[in-house]
């Protein structure tokens, strides 16, 4: 009987397995020490979106952490292999490089053979289309701040989510959908799986520092440049959020997601703003055809 990959397909130890059967060794330091990096790329209507940019970011992340991973062409083959086997037209595709499993008593990270994993599962939404139509209720975390970029470089995609998960609990306690964290000086950074934008007095603003350089963030900046919309990437004081006519969040897992309430107060008129809706439409249009799409032959 052939294997059933319809819930997703993983690549582990050089073999493709159904996602429900994929396992990592308990002693992999990616798990026990968060000593790993990853990337996530979307497949939409049967095409990868900005695959090259995701592979570039992953290669840089591996370099920064002194992790080795398969070569670019091999990773391409693997992610196509996962998506093809799953048959998914809309997929969330993750690649992970971990430090690996140390020999008994071994402490020196340089001596451990690194491991590589990949998988494709059905597309993941941070906020689903119905929630996006309504718009999200966002809070600024008060109980937790973002881990210092001097401790964990946020431009290297990582699993150090302790602060972000505490923020999610705070959001739920405050009857909100999600949360954005400030740095130790009170500047706005990012949230659990997304970057943030605000539209203030005709200019689109997004934090420069303390954030992952999201591919969706870059896509919004590219689309805004195409539309000749003024943009600034800046140190983002919290007061800018209070001034904003519109706020939205960006992620590979959900695209451009409107925020309609901030700390319980309406943003603009309390409905998804016109610029946000326009950018959201342009974002999904760019997934259907054009230079950012790489088709999968199933
Ligand atoms: C902490 C963090 N910031 C931002 C993002 C958005 O990045 P991208 O647009 O590349 O998905 C993510 C995505 O997972 C993330 O984990």
């Amino acid at each position: 009987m052939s294997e059933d990959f319809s819930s997703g397909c993983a690549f582990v130890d050089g073999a493709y397995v159904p996602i429900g059967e994929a396992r990592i060794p308990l002693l992999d330091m990616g798990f026990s020490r968060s000593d790993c990096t990853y990337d996530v790329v979307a497949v939409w209507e049967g095409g990868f979106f900005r695959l090259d940019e995701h592979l570039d970011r992953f290669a840089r992340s591996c370099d920064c952490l002194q992790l080795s991973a398969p070569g670019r062409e091999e990773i391409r083959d693997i992610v196509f292999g996962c998506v093809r086997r799953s048959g998914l037209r809309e997929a969330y595709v993750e690649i992970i490089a971990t430090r690996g499993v140390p020999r008994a008593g071994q402490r020196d990270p340089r001596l451990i053979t690194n491991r590589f994993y990949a998988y494709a599962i059905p597309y993941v939404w941070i906020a689903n289309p119905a929630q996006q139509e309504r718009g999200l209720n966002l809070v600024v975390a008060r109980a937790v701040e973002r881990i210092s970029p001097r401790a964990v470089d946020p431009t290297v995609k990582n699993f150090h989510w302790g602060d972000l998960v505490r923020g999610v609990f705070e959001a739920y306690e405050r009857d909100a959908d999600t949360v954005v964290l400030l740095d130790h000086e009170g500047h706005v950074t990012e949230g659990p799986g997304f970057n943030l934008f605000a539209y203030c007095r005709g200019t689109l603003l997004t934090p420069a520092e303390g954030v992952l350089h999201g591919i969706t963030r870059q896509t919004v900046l590219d689309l805004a440049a195409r539309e000749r919309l003024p943009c600034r990437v800046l140190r983002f004081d919290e007061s800018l959020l209070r001034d904003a006519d519109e706020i939205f969040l960006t992620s590979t897992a959900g695209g451009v997601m409107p925020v309609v309430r901030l700390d319980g107060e309406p943003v603009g008129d309390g409905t998804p703003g016109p610029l946000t809706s326009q950018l959201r439409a342009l974002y999904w249009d760019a997934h259907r055809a054009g230079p950012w799409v790489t088709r999968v032959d199933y």
Side-chain angles (χ1 to χ4, degrees), residues 221-229 282 286 292:
L221 293 171
D222 293 341
L223 292 169
R226 205 178 76 190
E227 300 299 308
R228 300 187 188 291
L229 183 76
L282 292 172
W292 290 332

Side-chain angles (χ1 to χ4, degrees), residues 38-42 54 57 92 94 126 146 154 156-158 160-161 164 189-196 210-219 250-255 257 283:
Y38 76 114
D39 219 291
V40 174
V41 53
H54 285 278
R57 186 172 66 181
Y92 173 103
E94 182 154 331
I126 289 179
R146 188 75 172 112
V156 174
K157 205 164 156 61
N158 65 76
H160 295 268
W161 272 47
L164 298 171
T189 64
E190 58 190 343
F194 54 78
N195 293 112
L196 174 142
V211 297
L212 179 71
H213 295 165
I215 308 291
T216 320
R217 168 180 178 268
Q218 186 56 49
T219 302
T250 62
S251 175
T252 297
M257 299 172 278
Y283 177 77

Side-chain angles (χ1 to χ4, degrees), residues 152-199:
V152 175
D153 180 350
T155 69
V156 174
K157 205 164 156 61
N158 65 76
F159 286 161
H160 295 268
W161 272 47
D163 52 355
L164 298 171
V165 173
R166 277 178 65 191
V168 170
F169 275 102
E170 181 180 337
Y172 293 163
E173 276 156 23
R174 293 169 60 191
D175 289 328
D177 299 305
T178 193
V179 67
V180 66
L181 270 57
L182 305 179
D183 68 14
H184 71 292
E185 290 174 332
H187 295 103
V188 175
T189 64
E190 58 190 343
F194 54 78
N195 293 112
L196 174 142
F197 282 81
Y199 185 51

Side-chain angles (χ1 to χ4, degrees), residues 86-99:
S86 74
L88 292 165
R89 262 41 189 185
E90 279 78 34
Y92 173 103
V93 182
E94 182 154 331
I95 50 180
I96 310 168
T98 66
R99 188 67 58 199

Side-chain angles (χ1 to χ4, degrees), residues 84-140:
R84 232 182 256 124
R85 280 173 182 75
S86 74
L88 292 165
R89 262 41 189 185
E90 279 78 34
Y92 173 103
V93 182
E94 182 154 331
I95 50 180
I96 310 168
T98 66
R99 188 67 58 199
V101 178
R103 283 196 316 276
Q106 191 179 48
R107 306 282 299 173
D108 185 339
R110 294 169 303 181
L111 303 178
I112 305 172
T113 305
N114 303 155
R115 294 175 61 90
F116 177 80
Y117 306 89
Y119 63 82
I121 56 173
Y123 186 80
V124 171
W125 298 93
I126 289 179
N128 66 34
Q131 291 168 318
Q132 293 192 25
E133 288 302 316
R134 256 192 336 266
L136 297 173
N137 186 344
L138 178 77
V139 290
V140 178

